[in-house]
Amino acid sequence: MKKGSETVKRIIFGHVGACIILLCVVPILFIGHQLFWGFEIKVDQTPAESLEEDLIVVGFSQLGSESGWRTAHTASIQQALTKDAGYFLIFNNARQMQDNQIKAIRSFISQRVDYIVFAPVIEDGWDTVLQEAKDAGIPVIVTDRMVNVQDDSLYTAWIGTDTREEGKRAGRWLETYLEQKQRQTEEINIVVLKGTIGSTAEIGRTKGFGEIAAQHGNWHILESVTAEFTANKAKEVMRSMLRRYPEMDVLISQNDDMTMGAIEAMQEAGVSYGEGGDVTVISFDATRDALELVKEGRINVDVECNPVQGAYVAEIIQKLEDKELVEKRYVVEENIFTRENAAADLGKRTY
């Protein structure tokens, strides 16, 4: 009986021991082949450990994907910093959250990238993380929107558009337009759809247009409301504005996506707009879809904000690689579009 009992124990514990060993060993083997339970398991590696040594590693944090303009801006940088061109690009989408961008930049620092490129959500709040990048010896290139830091040596260069001048261009166009229509002495009621509060585009375009508007006592900005650079929010805000301000003469919309949403709201409300309409529409960005509406006369004027900035980023990096001096600011070329010249540019528009 005792002998039988011992035999049973050996069998049971022998199988249990074997099972324990199998449970410990088999998953390790499967993980090594990325096949554990049918799921692919990826092990994060520092990029420098898995790349060819001659590739320049760039960490790029994009603030989000809120508009067609933003998509074009991202594509421009991705197309400039390709492997064929000698780069390995690590891309991060911050989804409109500054905290996400700060985490991404710190991740780039820990991965020891060669360069950091980012388009900031807002201007303030970057001093600490950029100091960390400087301490790590990593050059930082700011693109599109600007940063407001106490020490501008925290970043190497900025590439973008002159948003204040864009606002002024919109104001000067309105001056000329009203003169042509012989309405320069009329009371002009204006509403403004603003972008993300605190962003460079919102700050610059608001200040620029405001400077021109201040020269005209008969121009009245009834209200300025943020629609966060999105079409859906703009449609919602515009519906409310149309109810409050039936006397509206001019819409200033700080990007094309908001303009699209505002136009939908006006259509639904039966309000005429564009050339020959009750509301003059001034937009910014000059994306392909918006220029089609300019050509049709549904948008009166579109002030360009050029998103094609990737070539500038690559040029700056190459100069730094060659130990050459770079400028602190690079302003990209831009235009202003009305019905007269929109069609000619559509054929070469890449965004």
Side-chain angles (χ1 to χ4, degrees):
M1 205 50 199
K2 185 176 180 180
K3 185 176 181 181
S5 176
E6 290 176 354
T7 302
V8 170
K9 286 180 180 179
R10 282 198 302 271
I11 293 171
I12 291 172
F13 289 106
H15 283 106
V16 170
C19 289
I20 291 172
I21 293 170
L22 286 171
L23 287 172
C24 292
V25 174
V26 172
I28 294 172
L29 293 174
F30 279 19
I31 288 173
H33 290 82
Q34 300 181 353
L35 296 172
F36 184 53
W37 283 30
F39 292 98
E40 181 179 358
I41 298 176
K42 296 182 179 178
V43 181
D44 289 334
Q45 293 181 314
T46 302
E49 296 175 354
S50 59
L51 297 176
E52 299 174 23
E53 291 184 1
D54 58 346
L55 290 181
I56 300 170
V57 182
V58 180
F60 171 42
S61 177
Q62 180 59 278
L63 64 91
S65 52
E66 80 287 353
S67 64
W69 189 98
R70 184 64 50 196
T71 300
H73 180 254
T74 298
S76 171
I77 293 176
Q78 289 175 330
Q79 290 163 8
L81 305 182
T82 64
K83 188 172 182 180
D84 288 343
Y87 299 94
F88 183 83
L89 182 66
I90 307 170
F91 175 75
N92 168 266
N93 184 337
R95 304 188 185 284
Q96 300 292 326
M97 296 178 64
Q98 185 179 34
D99 286 346
N100 288 346
Q101 287 201 289
I102 291 174
K103 289 176 184 177
I105 292 171
R106 286 186 170 139
S107 174
F108 297 153
I109 294 170
S110 69
Q111 293 178 80
R112 303 185 299 279
V113 301
D114 297 311
Y115 297 90
I116 292 173
V117 179
F118 81 112
V121 176
I122 58 176
E123 292 193 356
D124 295 327
W126 302 103
D127 295 78
T128 300
V129 72
L130 293 188
Q131 182 66 57
E132 293 171 15
K134 182 178 179 180
D135 292 343
I138 302 174
V140 174
I141 299 170
V142 183
T143 182
D144 177 29
R145 300 177 182 179
M146 303 182 77
V147 292
N148 180 24
V149 290
Q150 293 183 353
D151 178 6
D152 66 5
S153 73
L154 295 181
Y155 65 94
T156 301
W158 169 83
I159 306 156
T161 63
D162 190 338
T163 57
R164 187 171 178 177
E165 178 59 27
E166 290 168 3
K168 288 182 178 181
R169 285 183 175 185
R172 289 194 288 264
W173 178 88
L174 185 58
E175 284 179 329
T176 302
Y177 179 78
L178 293 173
E179 289 174 4
Q180 292 173 345
K181 298 295 182 180
Q182 298 183 343
R183 298 180 59 191
Q184 63 268 36
T185 59
E186 290 184 20
E187 301 298 308
I188 303 299
N189 296 311
I190 303 167
V191 298
V192 182
L193 291 179
K194 301 173 73 173
T196 303
I197 300 300
S199 67
T200 300
E202 181 271 324
I203 294 170
R205 291 168 189 170
T206 300
K207 284 184 178 179
F209 182 80
E211 289 173 14
I212 302 300
Q215 300 172 15
H216 301 274
N218 59 321
W219 289 16
H220 310 291
I221 298 179
L222 304 178
E223 190 173 2
S224 296
V225 181
T226 181
E228 301 167 2
F229 285 132
T230 67
N232 289 337
K233 185 67 175 179
K235 185 175 181 179
E236 174 189 332
V237 171
M238 193 64 180
R239 283 172 174 167
S240 178
M241 282 186 162
L242 288 170
R243 289 192 294 269
R244 292 198 302 277
Y245 308 114
E247 71 277 23
M248 181 191 310
D249 297 304
V250 179
L251 166 66
I252 308 292
S253 175
Q254 290 184 349
N255 86 334
D256 288 338
D257 286 73
M258 292 192 298
T259 303
M260 302 293 187
I263 283 175
E264 285 188 28
M266 287 189 282
Q267 287 175 331
E268 292 177 359
V271 175
S272 61
Y273 59 89
E275 292 192 12
D278 293 331
V279 178
T280 299
V281 179
I282 298 175
S283 189
F284 293 83
D285 281 358
T287 60
R288 175 182 289 276
D289 289 344
L291 288 185
E292 289 284 359
L293 298 184
V294 173
K295 184 179 73 171
E296 296 170 7
R298 297 169 66 190
I299 294 176
N300 296 77
V301 63
D302 206 332
V303 181
E304 184 177 28
C305 179
N306 189 348
V308 183
Q309 299 172 15
Y312 290 83
V313 173
E315 179 184 344
I316 289 171
I317 291 175
Q318 288 302 319
K319 283 187 175 182
L320 293 172
E321 287 290 299
D322 295 336
K323 310 301 182 185
E324 296 180 14
L325 294 176
V326 298
E327 301 291 334
K328 194 68 177 180
R329 285 171 48 92
Y330 291 82
V331 179
V332 300
E333 295 182 3
E334 299 176 302
N335 202 348
I336 184 168
F337 295 97
T338 62
R339 198 169 192 174
E340 286 70 29
N341 65 339
D345 199 76
L346 272 170
K348 56 185 177 182
R349 181 65 44 170
T350 59
Y351 54 93

